[in-house]
Amino acid sequence: MPASSEKLTIARKEEIVDACAQLYETVPYGKITIGMIGEKTSFTRTSIYNYFRTKEEIFLALLEREYAAWADELEELAAADAAPEEFPARFAALLGRRSCMLRLLAMNLYDMEAGSSLGNLVGFKKAYKRAMEATERCLRRHFAFLTEEDARQFSYAFFPFLFGVYPYTEVTDKQAEAMKTAGVPYRPHTAAKLTEAFVGKLIDGFRYDRA
């Protein structure tokens, strides 16, 4: 593929993903269509099918981009000098900026993966793997007592935790009223604060194991 054509393809894909991200800020996943995404691009709706064959592939590309951006930030944290006691808050602050990623994970991951081609799914899994490896490098960098296996065990606990962050931190008025009526105790949390507490407890667990 000529360089100019490759650049155009990359630019078109980014424009499509940007349009999807913009819509997702205000429109539920189930109501977004490829037609709606196409209306926010500078080219025809049918041209989208030259780059993505389903809506799910577009959303998966958005999630892949979110993971890649998060991994970039994690790599910076892994290279930074910081006191160990500062790590949970700094690590959590990065995740606190990834509301779109957390929302997609909590609500739509199964549909996105099921409706995407193997090639697109592999691209996403590579971004996921990079974020996991960057997380483990962060831990090993800031906590000398952690072994490689400790860091891996942290990932096994932390990455499933990501699926529940959004529902616990983004509660609608209707959900809040339902919990109140049902007598379910609820205390508002932010993604950063929830993550900071969880990460701190996980690290403390490894520290106590070494004592």
Side-chain angles (χ1 to χ4, degrees):
M1 180 186 294
S4 58
S5 297
E6 184 175 358
K7 287 182 179 179
L8 177 61
T9 296
I10 293 172
R12 286 278 176 89
K13 283 186 173 182
E14 279 298 303
E15 186 176 348
I16 293 166
V17 173
D18 285 343
C20 179
Q22 184 180 349
L23 279 168
Y24 195 51
E25 289 178 1
T26 57
V27 182
Y29 174 90
K31 292 186 177 181
I32 294 175
T33 65
I34 284 186
M36 292 169 66
I37 296 171
E39 289 174 0
K40 288 188 172 294
T41 63
S42 62
F43 43 94
T44 64
R45 166 187 159 183
T46 53
S47 295
I48 289 181
Y49 292 102
N50 293 324
Y51 308 100
F52 298 99
R53 81 188 164 83
T54 64
K55 178 185 83 172
E56 289 77 16
E57 287 187 349
I58 301 173
F59 271 97
L60 193 68
L62 173 59
L63 184 57
E64 179 181 338
R65 188 170 74 177
E66 285 285 307
Y67 262 104
W70 183 41
D72 287 342
E73 294 175 339
L74 289 170
E75 295 287 5
E76 291 179 8
L77 180 58
D81 291 323
E85 59 269 20
E86 296 175 358
F87 177 82
R90 294 183 66 173
F91 181 85
L94 300 183
L95 192 63
R97 297 200 289 265
R98 305 250 72 90
S99 177
C100 179
M101 184 182 87
L102 294 175
R103 183 181 175 194
L104 286 169
L105 283 176
M107 302 172 72
N108 310 117
L109 181 62
Y110 182 86
D111 288 338
M112 287 186 290
E113 292 194 345
S116 297
S117 69
L118 178 61
N120 285 322
L121 188 53
V122 169
F124 164 66
K125 295 299 184 183
K126 287 180 178 178
Y128 172 85
K129 177 186 176 185
R130 184 174 161 237
M132 182 177 288
E133 291 174 343
T135 295
E136 293 175 10
R137 276 193 290 275
C138 280
L139 292 167
R140 300 290 303 282
R141 169 71 172 78
H142 291 87
F143 300 96
F145 65 87
L146 289 178
T147 66
E148 184 175 341
E149 180 58 24
D150 289 336
R152 182 58 50 87
Q153 290 300 321
F154 178 98
S155 289
Y156 288 155
F158 178 73
F159 278 80
F161 160 83
L162 293 179
F163 288 84
V165 174
Y166 188 86
Y168 270 87
T169 58
E170 300 292 336
V171 177
T172 66
D173 292 340
K174 181 179 178 181
Q175 289 170 326
E177 181 63 25
M179 284 189 285
K180 180 180 178 181
T181 303
V184 177
Y186 172 69
R187 191 172 81 185
H189 295 282
T190 64
K193 283 299 181 183
L194 203 64
T195 301
E196 180 181 350
F198 185 68
V199 168
K201 289 183 183 300
L202 283 177
I203 293 172
D204 284 346
F206 290 115
R207 182 181 286 112
Y208 295 147
D209 286 344
R210 296 290 179 272

